[in-house]
Amino acid sequence: MMNSSRPYLVRALYEWIVDNNCTPHILVNAEYAGVKVPAGFAKDGQIVLNVSPNAVRYLQMENAAVSFEGRFGGVPQSLYIPIQALMAIYARENGQGMVFEVDGEGEDDAGPEDDGPSGGGEPSRPAARPSLKVVK
C-alpha cells in the first residue's frame, strides 16, 4: 500500500500558491482527533487558516501533520493539524487549489474531489473512484 498523497499535494500546492504571489489558506476539520487550534475561532466544526509566510512562523508540513505558530487576537498560539484533518488548500485571491476527501478513519486512499473550497462544478462521484481535475 502506498503512503497518502495528501501531504505531498499540500506541499506542492502551497509552493505553487506562494510562487504565484497569492495567499495560501487551509480549511481544517477542527473536530478531528489531535487537531490543536485556538478555541472559539472554528465555525461549524471547521476553521480556515492563513498559512502565508507573512502570517505564520515555524511552518512545518510533514507527512503526518502541519504545524506552525500563528497569532490570534495578538496572542501567539501553536497549531497542530494532522494531515487527515486538512480538508482543503487554496489561494484566497482566486479560490484555486484542492479539496480533499474527508473520512473518519484517518486513511486517505482517494484523490481530490474538486478545485476549490466552495464546491461547485460537477456533482461528486462515488467514493470508489477517485477523480482528478486539471489545475490551470
Side-chain angles (χ1 to χ4, degrees):
M1 183 169 146
M2 293 180 68
N3 292 335
S4 170
S5 62
R6 188 177 304 201
Y8 301 93
L9 293 169
V10 168
R11 288 189 292 264
L13 286 165
Y14 177 87
E15 184 176 332
W16 174 68
I17 291 166
V18 171
D19 283 355
N20 281 282
N21 297 314
C22 290
T23 310
H25 278 60
I26 57 173
L27 175 64
V28 176
N29 176 352
E31 297 173 345
Y32 193 91
V35 169
K36 183 181 173 195
V37 295
F41 289 92
K43 183 177 180 186
D44 297 326
Q46 299 177 352
I47 187 169
V48 175
L49 301 166
N50 176 347
V51 290
S52 70
N54 297 334
V56 301
R57 294 174 61 184
Y58 313 118
L59 177 65
Q60 293 192 8
M61 293 185 159
E62 298 174 345
N63 287 355
V66 173
S67 61
F68 56 91
E69 186 180 282
R71 288 177 123 14
F72 291 82
V75 179
Q77 305 256 354
S78 292
L79 288 81
Y80 183 85
I81 296 113
I83 201 69
Q84 297 305 326
L86 200 147
M87 301 165 63
I89 181 167
Y90 62 95
R92 177 183 66 195
E93 292 78 2
N94 57 24
Q96 290 192 16
M98 190 173 285
V99 175
F100 299 99
E101 187 171 299
V102 177
D103 72 87
E105 296 298 315
E107 295 292 323
D108 183 31
D109 341 320
E113 288 181 3
D114 67 16
D115 63 352
S118 60
E122 56 188 89
S124 60
R125 296 187 174 96
R129 283 190 69 172
S131 64
L132 296 177
K133 263 195 181 182
V134 175
V135 178
K136 296 180 182 180

